Amino acid sequence: ASLSDAEARQRYLDGLHQLPVLLAQIETKLRGQAMRGIVLPAAQVDAAVPLIRSFSAPLERSGFNVTAPRVDAVPADARDAFVTAVRAAITEVVNPAFERLASYVEGPYRERATDAVGVARYPGGDRYYRFLVRLHTGLEMTAQQIHDIGLEEVARLERELENVRRQARFAGSMAEFRTFLKTDPRFFTKTPEQMGDALTAAAKRIEPEIGKWFIERPRAPYGARRLAPALEPVMTYGYYQRPSAQEQAGYYLFNGSKLEERSLLNAAALSYHELVPGHHFQIALTLENTRLNAFRKNANYTAFTEGWGEYASDLAGEMGMYTDPYDRAGRLSMDLFLTTRLVVDTGMNALGWSRERAMDYMRAHTFESETQIKTESLRYSSDLPGQALAYKMGSRTIRALRERMRAQHGAQFDVRRFHQAVLGHGSMPLSGFCGNAACS
């Protein structure tokens, strides 16, 4: 909202003064959970404290920028007084509140933390995890069933990677090939801008093929931008930011930190997941669909949304985007990463795996850096248990439904109409979308 009128400016100031109330409520909730023995693992606490403190900053580094266009909208005769009031609120009210929360988390809360992970360690945790599986996947499947699917899929993908090694005429062993793919300088960039360019370039390459596979395409433009640096230490990759009234384009916000650890091997596969024909295609089309009401436009079922992103990344291979063996290796590395989640998420939250065992499994079967493995294992075990299952299980369901439709319609099957049917109704739960768990 514009800050041109006095009422809007007062609401802004009121919001700043209400932040300490919110932070106090968070601390109260944490204290209550800790009394019941519900405490995040020590490693997660250690990662959270710097993030909390990152919100406590001088005015020039805070979310309020005195040079922003919104400030320019403040009438000249009121601007100095408004900026002074904001400065006082941030330095005297907001920043101390963030520091109080950080001090509690770093001190008394941290003292109760252990290295144990997973929801099953809490009373009723096994039932809670079954609920999370249904919530995030929409499927009636046990943790063991999903775990076994993950093991089988990892084995299949590694056989495909062996075929790529032969196609690339790499003379060394598979272990040497994996090391080469993870370390060769050709797969790394020097600047975040180069990373953004690589992601955008991949999307542009697929554009000429879209008409053969889709009936509609979104009007909103797209691109790639760097994630806010304060968020980068606690996020493995990034996320798609959908178009809005303030920003009409959709952007993939990528993690531009530690470039020496961020291979561009899977840049094309990641771009197809996040932009075209992935999340941007899916979400922008939904927002632009005049046939949908507000509820349908804003509904979000993770297995459908992330399942489509993963399906789209795989579909790009059918569209001719992975003819280069290294692009294909990049796609397989991404698929391995998402598939190992089926193994380690269920392992840590239901089957008694330690975090170290999960990290060892990821080290053996993915191309992720140590930094990424550490943040991801915390994500699965303490941040969003069950959520990471949605990517692979969702894509499997969409592809299984497509093959079922192909079998039913034979020569009359039109993949363009199938994609239109999938994307034309907004996000849906897999249970209603597929009909039953057998579709997966």
Side-chain angles (χ1 to χ4, degrees), residues 168-180:
R169 298 183 178 179
F170 186 84
S173 66
M174 173 55 72
E176 291 169 330
F177 186 53
R178 293 175 74 99
T179 299
F180 167 76

Side-chain angles (χ1 to χ4, degrees), residues 242 286-287 289 291-301 425-429:
R242 71 183 200 171
T286 297
L287 294 175
N289 191 339
R291 302 183 297 273
L292 300 181
N293 59 31
F295 174 80
R296 296 296 327 138
K297 286 187 177 184
N298 290 283
N300 182 25
Y301 297 93
H425 302 280
S427 183
M428 295 178 288

Side-chain angles (χ1 to χ4, degrees), residues 10-11 20 33 40 89 95 113-114 116 137 243 251 293 299 310 389 391 400 430 439:
Q10 187 58 53
R11 285 198 303 269
Q33 289 178 333
L40 289 173
N95 286 354
T114 68
T137 70
Y251 287 97
N293 59 31
E310 178 62 0
L389 306 176
Y391 295 68
L430 291 189
C439 182

Side-chain angles (χ1 to χ4, degrees), residues 151-170 174 177-178 181 310 313-318 322-336 339 365 367 392 396 399:
L151 293 173
E152 293 172 4
E153 273 290 281
V154 167
R156 180 186 67 82
L157 292 169
E158 291 189 330
R159 290 193 296 271
E160 288 197 31
L161 186 62
E162 171 62 23
N163 292 334
V164 170
R165 183 189 70 82
R166 294 172 180 170
Q167 182 185 359
R169 298 183 178 179
F170 186 84
M174 173 55 72
F177 186 53
R178 293 175 74 99
L181 294 175
E310 178 62 0
S313 185
D314 199 49
L315 178 70
E318 297 180 64
Y322 302 133
T323 54
D324 180 271
Y326 294 124
D327 282 341
R328 179 60 183 158
R331 169 60 199 151
L332 289 172
S333 75
M334 183 173 175
D335 202 346
L336 278 166
T339 302
H365 298 287
F367 290 74
K392 185 71 175 186
R396 282 170 57 87
R399 181 163 289 279

Side-chain angles (χ1 to χ4, degrees), residues 276-386:
V276 177
H279 288 327
H280 175 72
F281 215 81
Q282 168 195 44
I283 295 172
L285 274 176
T286 297
L287 294 175
E288 295 170 8
N289 191 339
T290 58
R291 302 183 297 273
L292 300 181
N293 59 31
F295 174 80
R296 296 296 327 138
K297 286 187 177 184
N298 290 283
N300 182 25
Y301 297 93
T302 306
F304 183 89
T305 303
E306 295 299 348
W308 174 263
E310 178 62 0
Y311 169 83
S313 185
D314 199 49
L315 178 70
E318 297 180 64
M319 298 171 70
M321 295 299 110
Y322 302 133
T323 54
D324 180 271
Y326 294 124
D327 282 341
R328 179 60 183 158
R331 169 60 199 151
L332 289 172
S333 75
M334 183 173 175
D335 202 346
L336 278 166
F337 171 53
L338 297 179
T339 302
T340 57
R341 290 171 162 183
L342 304 186
V343 179
V344 298
D345 194 298
T346 54
M348 288 188 288
N349 288 291
L351 304 178
W353 282 34
S354 67
R355 181 177 173 231
E356 192 57 44
R357 181 179 176 183
M359 290 193 293
D360 282 344
Y361 187 85
M362 295 179 73
R363 291 178 186 118
H365 298 287
T366 76
F367 290 74
E368 304 307 300
S369 70
E370 192 66 13
T371 298
Q372 292 163 333
I373 288 172
K374 287 180 178 179
T375 57
E376 283 295 293
S377 58
L378 287 174
R379 170 187 173 182
Y380 311 148
S381 61
S382 57
D383 185 13
L384 293 168

Side-chain angles (χ1 to χ4, degrees), residues 215-259:
I215 294 173
E216 293 184 322
R217 60 193 307 151
R219 296 186 301 273
Y222 61 86
R225 288 179 175 175
R226 185 177 180 179
L227 190 68
L231 296 178
E232 290 179 336
V234 293
M235 295 192 72
T236 305
Y237 288 109
Y239 63 91
Y240 173 74
Q241 178 179 279
R242 71 183 200 171
S244 65
Q246 292 74 34
E247 177 56 77
Q248 296 183 359
Y251 287 97
Y252 174 56
L253 304 181
F254 63 88
N255 195 322
S257 67
K258 297 185 178 180
L259 294 178

